[in-house]
Amino acid sequence: MVDVTVLGAGAFGLSVAWACLQRGAKVRVIDPYGVGAGSSGGVVGALAPHTPENWNDKKEFQFQSLIMAEAFWADVEETGGVSSGYGRTGRLQPVLNGRGLELARARQETSGALWRGQAKWRVISEEDAGPWAPHSPTGFLIHDTLSARMHPRMACASLAAAIQGKGGEITKEAPHEGQVVWATGWQGLVSLSQDMGRMVGNGVKGQAALLRLDRPDLPQLFADSVHVVPHVDGTVAIGTTSEREFDNPTSTDAQIDAVLERAFAAVPALKNAEVIERWAGVRPRAKSRAPMLGRHPLREGAFIANGGFKIGFGMAPKVGAVMADLILDGVDTIPDDFRPEASL
């Protein structure tokens, strides 16, 4: 008999399953499309924090999750023997103008208290940043040491191997037994909206690309609204678009070409790199813009973990922990902004 059935083998579903397994539950993950078949099987993997100011429950939750990530992924990799591609390599962002420089320096001060000495937010010169850094109009960049990266496909495979290595089951079809967790991605949010007769969540398409460029130890970059993420496998990811209206969820078009052009213009070190893949997928976005975690609003006795949108992998370690608390022990520590009611 299974104690917990998780529907969906993406970032949230696999993390909830892993957390429940670690606490001794018997777990089954069901996904008819396989592991990482949705947006969790993408290519970008930028785990980046909110700015250290105007602190709230969402920022604190994400901060805790990013701090947990190093031990979380190390444990996953040790159990399953498969690399997640995780690395806390930091991030560089150009400072665009005088007002931005003023804000960046103010955040450098507040980061000491809000990040509690566990990570740094610093303003550095373009010269100190080195040739990998994007050009900055002010000559200064923000360097934070909290940002990390993992390769989404590798991370899903790593979690799946750990789950199976610890005795969990991953299958495409099986009965729903025990406590049931709905982590069914954007289609699940659309279906929930239809069942409730109002929009509580939807999907936002994103397009990204992979370059062949071996820079695994360098920080990720964020310049001209483009993420540039070096991966451990000798690739660099570029992303992403945000498309609320789309016809084909997996097609790529001129929009990713425009993102690549902006990346090449902002980061000269990318210009000669070969584009080896263009990718598109749809990310689940709850109406509240925060993850939707807790008891399912329509299914008696069931739970929901959805709406990771662009920060699913960054939130995943903490999401798994709080959902396991609720599912197995009845202990609810989920922030109010993350509850399904916030989107209802």
Side-chain angles (χ1 to χ4, degrees):
M1 179 68 180
V2 170
D3 300 314
V4 179
T5 296
V6 179
L7 307 179
F12 277 8
L14 293 171
S15 296
V16 171
W18 171 244
C20 290
L21 269 168
Q22 287 184 301
R23 302 194 190 187
K26 294 182 179 179
V27 177
R28 171 183 292 150
V29 179
I30 303 173
D31 195 316
Y33 305 104
V35 171
S39 59
S40 293
V43 298
V44 179
L47 313 183
H50 291 285
T51 55
E53 63 181 0
N54 301 325
W55 215 236
N56 55 36
D57 288 344
K58 182 177 181 180
K59 290 186 176 185
E60 176 64 22
F61 190 101
Q62 189 195 36
F63 171 76
Q64 290 182 21
S65 193
L66 291 172
I67 291 297
M68 292 168 62
E70 191 163 8
F72 175 90
W73 290 110
D75 197 11
V76 167
E77 292 176 357
E78 182 178 356
T79 303
V82 175
S83 172
S84 66
Y86 175 85
R88 189 168 152 184
T89 50
R91 177 180 61 170
L92 292 170
Q93 306 174 73
V95 179
L96 302 183
N97 51 45
R99 175 57 179 159
L101 186 58
E102 182 181 328
L103 283 172
R105 286 174 169 156
R107 290 163 180 164
Q108 181 171 290
E109 296 300 316
T110 56
S111 68
L114 296 175
W115 288 358
R116 301 187 283 282
Q118 295 177 280
K120 294 181 179 180
W121 172 289
R122 301 183 302 139
V123 177
I124 63 173
S125 71
E126 195 168 353
E127 286 183 1
D128 290 340
W132 174 243
H135 171 66
S136 174
T138 62
F140 291 95
L141 298 104
I142 299 159
H143 175 230
D144 83 77
T145 63
L146 183 53
S147 292
R149 56 99 171 104
M150 30 65 59
H151 194 303
R153 293 171 186 169
M154 294 175 66
C156 285
S158 184
L159 272 167
I163 288 166
Q164 292 171 319
K166 205 169 180 66
E169 178 186 357
I170 300 177
T171 184
K172 293 188 175 183
E173 186 177 353
H176 299 181
E177 297 178 347
Q179 306 273 42
V180 180
V181 184
W182 291 75
T184 48
W186 74 279
Q187 296 99 329
L189 291 178
V190 170
S191 178
L192 181 60
S193 296
Q194 292 170 345
D195 291 343
M196 301 198 72
R198 51 182 162 153
M199 200 281 285
V200 298
N202 58 9
V204 178
K205 181 178 175 179
Q207 298 183 47
L210 272 182
L211 310 182
R212 192 187 310 279
L213 188 65
D214 193 17
R215 300 290 187 273
D217 299 322
L218 293 180
Q220 62 180 276
L221 312 175
F222 185 68
D224 198 9
S225 300
V226 176
H227 293 279
V228 177
V229 185
H231 285 310
V232 71
D233 65 349
T235 63
V236 172
I238 307 295
T240 60
T241 65
S242 287
E243 305 164 44
R244 295 196 181 190
E245 296 184 5
F246 51 88
D247 295 321
N248 187 332
T250 60
S251 65
T252 59
D253 55 32
Q255 293 183 74
I256 187 57
D257 293 331
V259 171
L260 283 165
E261 287 180 11
R262 298 210 311 273
F264 294 150
V267 185
L270 299 175
K271 285 186 178 178
N272 295 321
E274 177 191 2
V275 179
I276 58 174
E277 181 182 350
R278 288 171 169 82
W279 173 90
V282 182
R283 299 158 296 192
R285 178 187 179 275
K287 185 178 178 182
S288 69
R289 296 181 63 88
M292 185 185 290
L293 310 175
R295 298 190 181 277
H296 199 288
L298 292 182
R299 299 178 182 274
E300 185 69 27
F303 302 87
I304 189 167
N306 208 331
F309 194 32
K310 298 179 181 180
I311 56 174
F313 277 105
M315 291 287 208
K318 184 72 172 175
V319 165
V322 300
M323 290 299 296
D325 284 341
L326 180 61
I327 295 162
L328 301 179
D329 302 325
V331 176
D332 189 346
T333 58
I334 297 168
D336 287 344
D337 288 348
F338 289 19
R339 299 178 190 278
E341 292 81 4
S343 291
L344 303 183

